[in-house]
Amino acid sequence: MNKQKSWETQCYQIQEHDYVLGKISCAVYQGKSLKSILDQITTDLQKILQADRILIYHKPVANLDTLLSESLSSREFLSLKNILYSSWNSEEILHQLQEGKICNPSEIDSSIQTQQLQLGIKSELIVPILIHNYHLDQPSKSQLWGMLIIHQCFHRDWEPFELNFLSQIAIQVAIAIQQAQLYSQLKAIREEFQQQKIKDDLTHIANRRYFDQIIEVEWKRLERDSSALSLILCQVDGFQHYHQIYGKSAGETCLQLVAAVLLETAKRPGDLVARYDQQIFAILLPNTHLEGVVKVAENIRTRVKLLQIPHQDSLQSPYVSISLGVTSTIPTPIVDVKSLVELAHKALKEAQKDGDRVLVRADL
């Protein structure tokens, strides 16, 4: 009977663990601030584990720890916000944490017990938080970013399913941190754009440099989200012919008007319109599936024709028209972002054969 009750209790706890993991995962992908996510984690963990103290520390460099979040079982339980406590700063413990192993520090270094007893800690568990510091070229080796720490004022033995749950929580913390880093990169790039350092002089939209930066960061972000990234490359049909007939000034005006249409059509906060080349424009659409990007492309094609910019001797129309190459994919680690751009190029080249059309290539 006791075994049956124990099994039922464990099943219930596992269900609770899955619920908490789902809540945290949802908060991460909703783009909530890192601080709010960490506070939610410590609060939820304290309740579900019935722990006396839950802490999340950041360890940017050796011998420097920053307490980011703390949750206590009661107001009577001592807060460590203003107390220097770091049972993990021994070479052996740090090595195990860097290897991704959950540690009971007193089992590794008995000298820690004195400090634990002074703070009323009878049981302590340290869960490592490992992340990759992503750069635009390639991810680096995993590093110990910080620790998730559980304190009890009584001796506690941990079940394997509980340790697995804590490891999953640490993974969610790492995802939240990496998302925050990527959003920070995007913010920095966009701030640079606002300072006019990476804007095209003629059309006043983003230039190629800015596009190359953003697509790399968005690729990594959406790879983590398992969300779609779509790209349109487009070009005025017979632009060289148009330029020869109407002259440089008219050609520049034509490009400016087309750029204005692109900006008006792709106007969600995350969308990016850029001058990819002298005559080619790029529209990057994060979180947009193929059906959606095709609608955007067709809308652009129609609206450019509605400008009714005269184009004498055009093979497609008496007015300026545009051809668009469209592609979409869900980024993965095994595919390079350059493949997306190359596929859009191929689609654009095929679209230009007839002109005034949208051509889709989605065989990435």
Side-chain angles (χ1 to χ4, degrees):
M1 185 69 178
N2 288 337
K3 286 185 178 181
Q4 177 66 23
K5 185 177 180 180
S6 175
W7 172 248
E8 290 176 353
T9 300
Q10 181 172 323
C11 288
Y12 176 73
Q13 289 176 320
I14 291 174
Q15 288 178 345
E16 282 190 315
H17 293 176
D18 289 342
Y19 173 72
V20 170
L21 278 170
K23 272 181 64 181
I24 293 169
S25 178
C26 183
V28 169
Y29 289 112
Q30 284 176 346
K32 291 187 177 181
S33 71
L34 182 59
K35 174 61 177 171
S36 68
I37 293 171
L38 297 184
D39 287 344
Q40 178 180 329
I41 288 172
T42 54
T43 300
D44 288 349
L45 277 185
Q46 186 276 314
K47 291 177 181 177
I48 197 171
L49 297 176
Q50 298 182 348
D52 291 303
R53 187 190 290 116
I54 300 286
L55 310 110
I56 294 179
Y57 276 91
H58 177 33
K59 191 174 188 63
V61 294
N63 302 318
L64 178 62
D65 309 307
T66 306
L67 178 59
L68 298 184
S69 185
E70 179 185 53
S71 182
L72 306 174
S73 59
S74 69
R75 293 183 179 179
E76 288 74 27
F77 208 72
L78 183 65
S79 170
L80 298 188
K81 288 182 179 177
N82 298 312
I83 297 175
L84 291 176
Y85 176 75
S86 53
S87 63
W88 46 87
N89 277 329
S90 79
E91 286 189 13
E92 187 173 356
I93 292 174
L94 286 174
H95 176 72
Q96 290 202 25
L97 293 173
Q98 179 62 62
E99 292 294 314
K101 298 176 182 176
I102 297 176
C103 294
N104 181 337
S106 60
E107 291 181 352
I108 300 172
D109 186 348
S110 58
S111 65
I112 294 169
Q113 292 179 349
T114 302
Q115 191 180 10
Q116 288 178 333
L117 292 174
Q118 290 173 342
L119 295 172
I121 302 169
K122 296 290 183 67
S123 178
E124 179 175 23
L125 206 63
I126 304 177
V127 184
I129 301 170
L130 301 176
I131 67 167
H132 288 279
N133 289 320
Y134 280 92
H135 302 286
L136 293 183
D137 48 359
Q138 58 182 5
S140 64
K141 180 183 177 183
S142 63
Q143 296 178 345
L144 180 66
W145 180 91
M147 294 76 61
L148 169 64
I149 300 167
I150 302 97
H151 287 165
Q152 300 280 187
C153 60
F154 59 88
H155 292 288
R156 178 169 183 170
D157 294 322
W158 295 90
E159 297 288 342
F161 77 91
E162 292 177 311
L163 297 178
N164 178 65
F165 170 60
L166 290 171
S167 296
Q168 293 298 315
I169 291 290
I171 290 172
Q172 290 299 320
V173 175
I175 291 172
I177 294 161
Q178 290 168 327
Q179 289 282 52
Q181 290 176 341
L182 289 171
Y183 280 120
S184 178
Q185 288 182 45
L186 285 171
K187 182 180 178 182
I189 293 171
R190 286 179 176 134
E191 285 176 352
E192 185 181 359
F193 178 58
Q194 291 171 358
Q195 295 169 6
Q196 310 298 313
K197 292 182 179 179
I198 45 180
K199 182 179 282 191
D200 179 60
D201 291 334
L202 175 65
T203 59
H204 303 295
I205 61 176
N207 64 14
R208 172 67 177 274
R209 173 172 171 249
Y210 183 74
F211 172 84
D212 288 342
Q213 288 178 316
I214 287 292
I215 195 172
E216 287 278 0
V217 177
E218 287 287 21
W219 182 273
K220 293 184 184 298
R221 182 177 72 85
L222 295 170
E223 176 188 319
R224 195 172 306 284
D225 286 356
S226 296
S227 296
L229 180 62
S230 296
L231 175 63
I232 302 171
L233 291 182
C234 56
Q235 185 173 353
V236 172
D237 294 320
F239 184 76
Q240 290 287 0
H241 181 61
Y242 180 91
H243 191 274
Q244 291 171 1
I245 295 174
Y246 296 99
K248 179 181 178 181
S249 178
E252 291 179 344
T253 300
C254 176
L255 292 177
Q256 289 170 338
L257 289 170
V258 170
V261 168
L262 301 182
L263 282 173
E264 181 62 27
T265 309
K267 55 186 178 182
R268 296 182 311 168
D271 295 345
L272 173 66
V273 176
R275 192 177 182 191
Y276 186 81
D277 205 345
Q278 289 296 313
Q279 304 171 33
I280 299 176
F281 294 98
I283 304 98
L284 190 65
L285 301 164
N287 301 301
T288 304
H289 290 281
L290 188 60
E291 183 179 353
V293 71
V294 170
K295 288 181 180 178
V296 172
E298 287 289 0
N299 196 5
I300 290 170
R301 187 184 67 83
T302 300
R303 295 183 69 172
V304 168
K305 289 182 72 174
L306 289 175
L307 292 173
Q308 294 193 354
I309 304 172
H311 191 176
Q312 181 182 335
D313 298 332
S314 169
L315 297 176
Q316 286 78 31
S317 165
Y319 303 111
V320 164
S321 62
I322 193 169
S323 292
L324 305 98
V326 173
T327 190
S328 180
T329 191
I330 295 177
T332 66
I334 60 174
V335 180
D336 191 277
V337 66
K338 293 178 182 177
S339 301
L340 184 73
V341 178
E342 289 172 359
L343 199 60
H345 264 296
K346 290 179 181 178
L348 174 59
K349 189 173 181 180
E350 291 179 30
Q352 287 179 306
K353 291 178 180 178
D354 297 323
D356 189 22
R357 65 179 296 202
V358 173
L359 197 141
V360 178
R361 290 287 298 269
D363 50 346
L364 193 61

